Amino acid sequence: MRNHEGPDITRRRLLAGAAGSLAFALMGGRLRSSAEAAEPEPGAPATDQPLITHVARPLDAETPPQVFTQYLTPNDQFFIRSHFGPPAPESVAPAVWRLHVAGLVERPLSLSLNDLSQFDEVSVTAVVQCSGNGRAFHRPKAPGVQWEKGAVGNARWTGVRLRDVLQRAGLKDQARHLQLQGADRPVVASVPLFTRSIPLEKALHPDTILATRMNGAPLPLLHGSPLRLITPGWMADSCVKWLTDLTVQEEEAGGYYMQTAYRYPSRPVKPGEVIAPQDLKPVEVMVVKSVIASPQQGAILAGGAAMVRGVAWSGEGRIVKVEVSTDEGKTWEQASLVGEDVPYAWRQWQFLWRTRGSGRRTIWSRATDDRGQVQPMTSAWNPGGFLWNGVDRVQVQVREA
Amino acid sequence: MSQRWHQPVGWLFLLPLILLGPTWLATGRAEEQPIDQQAQRLLAARCSVCHSTDLVLQQRLPRDRWEATVDKMVHWGAHLDKEEATLLTSYLATYFHQDAGPVVALPAAPSVQAGRESGATPAPGGVAARGAALYKQNCLPCHGEAGSGGVGPKLARNPILAQADRFRMTVSQGRGAMPPWGSVLRPQEIADIHAWLNALRD
C-alpha cells in the first residue's frame, strides 16, 4: 500500500472545514471568543504551539491540548518521551544501522534499511500514548514524569509488518514473547537498559508494524529514527524507538523496565499497600478516553454560543459516544462525532454549547466505546500512576453577551 | 484538577537553589554549609549527571517512596555515600512530600527543533554562542559558573582546551568520576561547549 498522505489530509481538512461551517451556520451567529479567534481553523497547522517541557534532560515534553484540534498531530508537535534520550545520530545512521532478529528463530537475520524496504509497505493511523499520560491527576501523586493531557498524539505510521519479518526468520515452537531493544543508552552503564517485550500474539498481529515514516516524513530522531515499533491500541511503552534487536524467546523480557516498571495491579489497591508480584501485569491496552482541545483551559469566551472540540479514543475498541456536561455532571449532552472513523486512530468530536449567563463555567467530556467502557470520573489509583482516563475538564470564563 | 503551576509561592522553594547555586559550588567544604544547601548541592552534582533536577522537583512522595527512590538511584550508580543518601532523602521528604503544593514552575522548553532532525550531521567547528546554554544545562552543576570549577575540575583556561579531540573524547567517554556524555551531547554540541569555554578569559 502506498502512502497517500497528502490527498487524504486535504480531503479531511475540506470535510472538517465544511462541517464546522455548517455548524456555525446552523447556530446562527458569530460567537467566537477572543481566545478562539487566535486559534487555527480546524485542520490548519497550529505551528506556534511549543511543547510543554516536564524534564529538560533527557527531554520529556507534552503537546498542548489545543494542537488536538487537528486530526493528525504534526511530527514537531508530537510528545517526546524516552528514558535516556536519543542515541547519537551516527550510531543509527543508515550505513551502520542494522535490525538483528535472533533467539528462537530458524534463520537469524541482520537487516539493513534497504533490506526492510523489500517487504510490503503498510500504513496505519494510530494513537500513541505514554502509559503515564495524566499521571499528574492521580491522588495521591504517583512517582514519575507529571504528565497532564498531552503525552498522546495521533499519527500515520508507515513501514512493514513485524509479522512478515518474523516469518522470514521462522519461529521455533517454543516462541512466546518478542524482546525489543533500541540503540538508546543510559549516561551511566550501571543503569538498566530500556528492554521491553510483547507477547507473540501482538507481534504477529497484522496491524503491528515496524515504522520508518511518521505522517509521511522520515521518522525524526526524537521519535525513534530509523525504526520504531507501533503496537496499535497499546500504550507506548511497547512502541520501542531506535530498534536494533528483536529476540524471540519463551519468557517475557527480564530487567527493570519490564519486570518492575510499567506494571499495573490486576485488582484494586490502596496507596502504600504491598502488592504481590503476581498481581502486577504489564501495561498493555489503552483505556477509553476523551480530551477537550478547544476552548483551552482559562479561555475567555464571548457569551452566546461556543464550539467545543476534542478527540476520543479507545485501545482496541471504537468510540460510539462522547458526552459533554457544562453543569459539573448534573446533565450530559451528546457531542457529534466527526471526521474519519478508523480503528486505532482517535475520533474527533464537537459540541455546540449555548452558554447561558456569564462567569466561570466548566466543560467536562466523557467518551464511551463499543465495548461499553465509559470514561470514569477518576481512574483507579495505582503505584505507577498509569492509565489515567478520568473525565476531562476545562474551566473557562464566559463574558456577558 | 486542571490546576496549573502558577502559584507565586512556588518560586520560594527554588530561590535558595537559584541564588546559592554558584556559591556552594565555588566554596567547597560541604560540612560547613547548612543541610539544605548540602542537599541541593548533591541534587545538582550527583542526580543531574543523568537527568535534570526538574524530574526530582516535580515529585510529591511520602518518605518511604523517597527512600526507595534514592536507594534505587544509588543501586544504579548515583555517587552518594550512606550519609549523603540520608541527607538527600531527608531533604526530599521534608520539602517534596505529598501535601506540598504545586511549587515548581516548569522550565521553558529548550530551543531544540523538536522532531525535525532526521539523521546524522558531521560536527564542524563549535559556535560559542550556542555553547553557553549547553554548558549551563549539562556541565555547570559540577564544573561551576563560567568554568570556575566545583565538584569537577576548573575548565576555564584548562590545558585540555588546547586539544579539541581530547576534550571531545573526555566528554563523550567520561573520565574518572565523570560519566560519559556521548549519549546526551552530540559531537556538534560538545564542539559548541568547547568553543564557549575557549572564549572564556579566566
Side-chain angles (χ1 to χ4, degrees):
Chain A
M1 186 165 70
R2 298 305 305 174
N3 190 335
H4 296 296
E5 197 50 54
D8 274 3
I9 289 178
T10 310
R11 191 170 68 246
R12 188 156 48 241
R13 282 181 182 165
L14 287 173
L15 286 172
S21 309
L22 182 61
F24 275 108
L26 287 175
M27 80 189 190
R30 311 173 297 106
L31 302 153
R32 309 198 67 181
S33 68
S34 54
E36 287 252 278
E39 281 189 11
E41 287 301 308
T47 49
D48 57 345
Q49 303 289 344
L51 294 175
I52 301 159
T53 299
H54 288 288
V55 182
R57 176 171 54 79
L59 182 60
D60 291 321
E62 71 175 80
T63 308
Q66 53 268 38
V67 172
F68 304 147
T69 50
Q70 301 164 90
Y71 180 64
L72 294 177
T73 312
N75 293 1
D76 59 357
Q77 291 178 295
F78 209 93
F79 81 95
I80 295 163
R81 198 286 185 267
S82 72
H83 287 269
F84 313 128
E90 59 273 19
S91 73
V92 290
V96 297
W97 177 89
R98 292 291 181 277
L99 178 67
H100 305 284
V101 186
L104 298 171
V105 295
E106 304 294 345
R107 296 168 294 277
L109 305 175
S110 174
L111 304 171
S112 67
L113 277 175
N114 191 45
D115 297 333
L116 272 179
S117 70
Q118 308 302 312
F119 292 89
D120 287 348
E121 187 180 271
V122 292
S123 291
V124 59
T125 301
V127 170
V128 166
Q129 179 181 207
C130 175
S131 304
N133 193 25
R135 178 179 289 127
F137 304 129
H138 279 290
R139 293 293 180 277
K141 291 244 183 194
V145 179
Q146 297 298 305
W147 301 108
E148 296 191 3
K149 303 181 182 186
V152 61
N154 187 50
R156 187 154 180 85
W157 309 95
T158 301
V160 303
R161 287 186 197 91
L162 174 57
R163 182 173 72 171
D164 293 352
V165 173
L166 292 177
Q167 283 174 352
R168 171 81 55 89
L171 298 175
K172 292 190 174 169
D173 288 345
Q174 317 92 290
R176 296 291 179 274
H177 295 268
L178 180 68
Q179 178 173 297
L180 311 150
Q181 180 62 57
D184 51 329
R185 291 293 179 271
V187 174
V188 176
S190 45
V191 173
L193 297 184
F194 185 68
T195 308
R196 298 280 309 169
S197 68
I198 57 172
L200 208 57
E201 305 85 76
K202 189 66 176 177
L204 293 176
H205 193 287
D207 296 327
T208 299
I209 69 169
L210 296 166
T212 54
R213 301 179 74 78
M214 179 178 181
N215 290 325
L219 205 56
L221 182 65
L222 284 166
H223 295 295
S225 169
L227 193 74
R228 86 176 293 180
L229 183 66
I230 297 293
T231 50
W234 283 25
M235 285 293 195
D237 44 301
S238 299
C239 299
V240 175
K241 299 192 269 196
W242 311 294
L243 262 181
T244 54
D245 291 90
L246 303 178
T247 311
V248 180
Q249 48 196 45
E250 207 170 339
E251 305 291 335
E252 263 181 13
Y256 178 80
Y257 289 104
M258 195 69 203
Q259 295 304 322
T260 304
Y262 296 109
R263 290 182 98 87
Y264 189 89
S266 50
R267 59 176 177 83
V269 298
K270 292 194 187 78
E273 185 179 340
V274 176
I275 308 167
Q278 65 267 24
D279 288 342
L280 289 164
K281 308 289 180 216
V283 172
E284 291 176 345
V285 184
M286 286 190 245
V287 289
V288 67
K289 189 166 179 176
S290 67
V291 166
I292 297 163
S294 173
Q296 63 195 81
Q297 171 66 28
I300 299 168
L301 308 181
M307 186 61 77
V308 181
R309 286 182 286 158
V311 291
W313 66 95
S314 179
E316 291 172 343
R318 300 285 272 271
I319 294 298
V320 293
K321 186 166 70 175
V322 173
E323 297 160 289
V324 172
S325 176
T326 53
D327 57 10
E328 303 204 324
K330 290 189 214 44
T331 60
W332 291 88
E333 294 177 83
Q334 211 159 318
S336 309
L337 300 178
V338 298
E340 295 196 21
D341 181 14
V342 178
Y344 311 121
W346 61 29
R347 191 77 197 269
Q348 294 174 287
W349 55 267
Q350 56 187 40
F351 173 74
L352 179 58
W353 175 31
R354 297 193 172 279
T355 64
R356 296 186 208 289
S358 59
R360 284 189 299 276
R361 293 285 187 279
T362 54
I363 309 172
W364 293 6
S365 75
R366 76 174 176 205
T368 303
D369 73 7
D370 62 354
R371 299 168 182 207
Q373 279 198 93
V374 184
Q375 210 174 339
M377 285 304 297
T378 57
S379 304
W381 187 90
N382 63 95
F386 296 126
L387 299 177
W388 174 266
N389 69 334
V391 160
D392 196 33
R393 320 175 191 201
V394 299
Q395 187 177 46
V396 298
Q397 196 170 346
V398 178
R399 285 214 180 109
E400 295 204 22
Chain B
M1 97 177 175
S2 296
Q3 288 247 337
R4 296 199 60 92
W5 318 79
H6 286 160
Q7 279 80 344
V9 66
W11 289 98
L12 296 179
F13 271 114
L14 286 179
L15 268 179
L17 199 64
I18 294 163
L19 296 178
L20 300 172
T23 318
W24 31 260
L25 287 170
T27 53
R29 304 285 292 283
E31 63 273 21
E32 292 169 4
Q33 298 167 339
I35 49 173
D36 281 6
Q37 284 178 36
Q38 291 179 44
Q40 289 159 357
R41 177 177 174 275
L42 291 172
L43 262 181
R46 311 296 167 78
C47 308
S48 78
V49 167
C50 289
H51 56 79
S52 47
T53 51
D54 45 10
L55 177 58
V56 180
L57 307 185
Q58 66 190 263
Q59 309 302 323
R60 298 290 177 273
L61 303 175
R63 175 175 274 273
D64 62 331
R65 291 308 299 253
W66 276 124
E67 284 167 0
T69 304
V70 172
D71 271 359
K72 182 175 85 171
M73 294 304 162
V74 168
H75 182 63
W76 284 2
H79 286 268
L80 292 165
D81 65 26
K82 215 164 187 141
E83 201 184 315
E84 290 172 330
T86 307
L87 179 79
L88 184 59
T89 304
S90 173
Y91 171 81
L92 293 169
T94 301
Y95 292 108
F96 302 94
H97 59 83
Q98 288 192 288
D99 298 318
V103 296
V104 177
L106 294 176
S111 60
V112 291
Q113 293 282 301
R116 284 198 174 117
E117 77 265 60
S118 62
T121 45
V127 178
R130 289 197 302 246
L134 288 164
Y135 177 87
K136 196 173 167 193
Q137 175 68 31
N138 299 287
C139 321
L140 183 143
C142 292
H143 293 284
E145 198 75 53
S148 56
V151 176
K154 178 179 171 180
L155 294 178
R157 306 186 83 112
N158 189 305
I160 197 177
L161 296 177
Q163 305 169 56
D165 279 353
R166 206 175 132 218
F167 179 86
R168 180 169 51 75
M169 297 292 275
T170 304
V171 174
S172 64
Q173 296 175 9
R175 193 170 94 186
M178 176 164 147
W181 287 80
S183 64
V184 176
L185 294 168
R186 318 237 175 292
Q188 177 65 65
E189 292 174 323
I190 297 173
D192 292 343
I193 293 167
H194 183 241
W196 182 75
L197 285 169
N198 250 334
L200 294 174
R201 280 296 140 245
D202 202 27

